Amino acid sequence: MLTELITFEVADQVFALDIMAIREIRAWSPTTRLPSVPSYVVGVVNLRGTVLPVIDLAARLGWPAIEASPRHAIIVVQLGGKQVGLIVDSVSDIVTIDSASLQPPPATSANGVVPFLEGLASLGDQMVMVLDLSSLAEDEKLAEAA
């Protein structure tokens, strides 16, 4: 079965999400910080009258936080039953892969990026990490912030 993915970059790495999980892609806009939220929740923005929590995807994956600027993008996804924005460095392309070609992530430690991956896809000469949105939502403090 063929699956369409949106590819994007975070910390010089290529990631992808199922296109059906993405509600919209918007330009960066400054966020309003909130108290007592996880460090990777950079704040909220107004999305057509709705408060949208914005997550620094690099920080959520355990990497250094992104210094967000107008060159960044926010991918709006449905996460844990609510809409959430993910800050990414750039949005690249729409690609189609055969779901059967998706390789499982390596069985390494429970730390880092691996717990957040659905699998790895080979696109040309590069490996693309396909994110599992449900694992990104597995944080009690995130549920409170959203």
Side-chain angles (χ1 to χ4, degrees):
M1 181 169 147
L2 296 179
T3 303
E4 283 190 311
L5 304 171
I6 295 270
T7 60
F8 54 92
E9 287 191 24
V10 174
D12 296 322
Q13 300 296 311
V14 180
F15 289 89
L17 282 169
D18 187 323
I19 198 167
M20 298 307 291
I22 296 173
R23 300 293 172 245
E24 67 180 272
I25 298 170
R26 48 182 290 145
W28 164 253
S29 57
T31 60
T32 301
R33 292 179 46 131
L34 296 175
S36 304
V37 295
S39 61
Y40 56 83
V41 177
V42 295
V44 295
V45 295
N46 181 344
L47 179 66
R48 293 180 294 285
T50 301
V51 175
L52 179 74
V54 178
I55 294 173
D56 179 335
L57 187 54
R60 179 67 177 117
L61 297 174
W63 294 336
I66 292 174
E67 292 289 332
S69 70
R71 70 175 183 84
H72 290 89
I74 298 176
I75 299 176
V76 179
V77 296
Q78 198 73 22
L79 187 64
K82 299 185 183 212
Q83 286 193 355
V84 175
L86 303 173
I87 300 174
V88 300
D89 293 334
S90 63
V91 177
S92 305
D93 205 358
I94 298 173
V95 296
T96 303
I97 65 161
D98 186 342
S99 300
S101 69
L102 196 62
Q103 300 294 315
T108 60
S109 70
N111 297 327
V113 176
V114 173
F116 301 112
L117 296 182
E118 182 179 324
L120 298 166
S122 179
L123 291 177
D125 60 348
Q126 67 183 164
M127 293 297 289
V128 175
M129 294 178 268
V130 181
L131 289 174
D132 176 14
L133 283 177
S134 62
S135 67
L136 286 175
E138 291 175 2
D139 185 337
E140 294 168 12
K141 290 183 180 180
L142 175 60
E144 292 171 13

